Amino acid sequence: MLNTPKRVHNPESLVALGKQLRKRREELGLAQSKVRGIRQATISKIERGGDVTVDTLVSYANALGMEPTFVSVGHTPVARRVPRPPARVLDHLEEISHLKHGMP
C-alpha cells in the first residue's frame, strides 16, 4: 500500500485546481516550460484538469509557492485584497504650511 500511487479522480475538483494553479503560474509570469522540477507536459495535463497523483499536484503547487489546503465544501475562503497605501502619505499641515508664513 505504501507504493500505491494516490490519484485524484474527481473531475470537477481537478478542473478547479488546474485553473487555480494556471492563474498563479501566469501571475508569476512563468511559461509552463519554466516551472522548475515539473515537466511541461505534466503541467499542461494538470492545468487542463487531467488525472494526477496527489504527490505531483503538491509538487506543482509548491513550485509555484503555494500549499494545498482542505476546507469544508461550500466554505471556500474569499480572497481579500488589502488596499495599497498611497505612494506618499499627505500631511495636511504640510499642505497648508505656506499659509502660516503669509505666502499665497
Side-chain angles (χ1 to χ4, degrees), residues 40-101:
Q40 184 276 327
T42 301
I43 292 172
S44 178
K45 181 179 179 179
I46 292 170
E47 291 183 358
R48 286 183 284 117
D51 183 24
V52 65
T53 65
V54 173
D55 185 53
T56 300
L57 187 64
V58 170
S59 295
Y60 182 37
N62 289 167
L64 297 177
M66 299 175 79
E67 183 175 85
T69 58
F70 295 93
V71 295
S72 299
V73 174
H75 291 92
T76 304
V78 176
R80 292 183 301 232
R81 298 249 181 218
V82 177
R84 285 186 173 177
R88 179 175 171 270
V89 177
L90 297 177
D91 180 351
H92 293 294
L93 294 176
E94 181 182 320
E95 288 181 13
I96 59 171
S97 66
H98 66 282
L99 296 176
K100 72 178 178 183
H101 298 294

Side-chain angles (χ1 to χ4, degrees), residues 32-45:
Q32 288 180 344
S33 61
K34 298 299 181 188
V35 177
R36 298 183 90 150
I38 311 287
R39 291 180 28 237
Q40 184 276 327
T42 301
I43 292 172
S44 178
K45 181 179 179 179

Side-chain angles (χ1 to χ4, degrees), residues 1-20:
M1 178 124 175
L2 291 175
N3 293 327
T4 304
K6 307 297 184 227
R7 300 189 81 75
V8 180
H9 296 287
N10 183 310
E12 295 82 18
S13 294
L14 288 169
V15 169
L17 287 167
K19 286 180 181 180
Q20 289 277 331

